[in-house]
Amino acid sequence: MRRPIIALAAAACLAATACSPAEPETTPTPTDVEISSVESPDPAMTESPTMAESMPETDPSMTESPTDGASTPEMSPSASDSATAESTSEDVDLATQSFAISPEDAIDRAVQEAGGGFVHSIELDWSSDNNAWVYELDVLNGSTELDMDMNADSGVIVELDRDDTDDAKQPIDLESPMSWEEARDTALQAAQGRITSWKLEYDDDYTAYEFDIEDASGDDVEVEINVDTGQVEIDD
């Protein structure tokens, strides 16, 4: 009779095991669900607005720049220089004073204005009419003579005359056979004072420098130097 009891006990034990509730499964907390369900943001969806989208719209007329094909008006070099150049004082000493337009520049501009030819006379002098230092240049282009006045500070041509001529002229050279500096020093050895004007000119079959010098007493002395011979003549 022991076997049936044991069998009944085993059956009861199995029944108890089968009937006992299973261990409850752990369910994720709401926090866990939220964290696991949130995916990394799509960069394309979170990209910051472009500069064009973020900037407020402006009136095109206020910001539009000229197109590459559009041309803007240009001032001529002489007009631009004239607007910005400062006039040199009348009482300077030409022995040491330099100008925005050098004598060499003035000669080049004069020939360009004449369309060719050469300069056979250049003079730097104070112009009361223009209230400025002015180069007076004579240009020969073929049979046409151009008398030109050019502002030494700005390069502006303040006067221009054209005439027909059959005179024979030779071009001048500020360096050869005698440089301007050599001629200046020679003139100041002949007469002491302030150089108030000077000229280099081909005339009467020879080329010469002329310097007007104001001496200590206020009198003007004219010194002429032949560039070929070095001969000095003084007229006081």
Side-chain angles (χ1 to χ4, degrees):
M1 293 302 290
R2 288 181 181 175
R3 288 180 181 176
I5 291 173
I6 293 171
L8 288 173
C13 181
L14 290 171
T17 302
C19 295
S20 61
E23 189 74 25
E25 294 183 4
T26 303
T27 58
T29 62
T31 304
D32 294 336
V33 172
E34 291 175 2
I35 293 174
S36 62
S37 63
V38 176
E39 297 180 357
S40 297
D42 184 352
M45 299 297 292
T46 60
E47 187 177 356
S48 60
T50 63
M51 184 64 73
E53 294 170 343
S54 61
M55 291 291 288
E57 245 183 69
T58 56
D59 183 356
S61 65
M62 299 296 291
T63 59
E64 186 175 359
S65 58
T67 62
D68 292 339
S71 61
T72 55
E74 295 183 0
M75 297 179 67
S76 66
S78 59
S80 174
D81 292 341
S82 178
T84 58
E86 295 183 2
S87 296
T88 302
S89 171
E90 178 183 2
D91 59 359
V92 298
D93 187 351
L94 297 184
T96 56
Q97 179 66 37
S98 60
F99 293 84
I101 308 300
S102 70
E104 293 82 3
D105 291 336
I107 290 174
D108 290 342
R109 292 189 182 206
V111 171
Q112 183 177 5
E113 178 67 24
F118 58 86
V119 172
H120 59 85
S121 177
I122 180 173
E123 181 176 4
L124 179 59
D125 197 3
W126 175 260
S127 170
S128 299
D129 293 339
N130 296 283
N131 197 34
W133 287 97
V134 169
Y135 290 109
E136 299 173 16
L137 302 115
D138 293 331
V139 188
L140 183 63
N141 185 13
S143 61
T144 302
E145 176 88 10
L146 289 88
D147 298 328
M148 189 180 308
D149 290 354
M150 182 185 302
N151 188 305
D153 289 310
S154 67
V156 171
I157 297 172
V158 295
E159 188 174 343
L160 178 63
D161 295 320
R162 298 173 186 265
D163 293 303
D164 292 333
T165 183
D166 57 2
D167 291 343
K169 298 292 184 181
Q170 294 293 329
I172 57 171
D173 190 330
L174 290 162
E175 293 298 326
S176 179
M178 178 182 291
S179 70
W180 183 89
E181 290 80 9
E182 291 175 316
R184 173 202 60 191
D185 294 345
T186 301
L188 290 176
Q189 288 174 0
Q192 299 296 315
R194 179 175 73 95
I195 296 178
T196 58
S197 72
W198 64 265
K199 176 193 291 187
L200 175 60
E201 180 181 32
Y202 174 86
D203 193 24
D204 295 332
D205 298 328
Y206 73 98
T207 302
Y209 280 100
E210 293 180 9
F211 292 89
D212 288 333
I213 300 174
E214 182 182 65
D215 62 19
S217 62
D219 294 330
D220 290 330
V221 180
E222 182 181 291
V223 180
E224 180 183 285
I225 307 164
N226 187 309
V227 300
D228 294 311
T229 65
Q231 181 181 348
V232 178
E233 292 186 10
I234 300 175
D235 183 5
D236 54 3

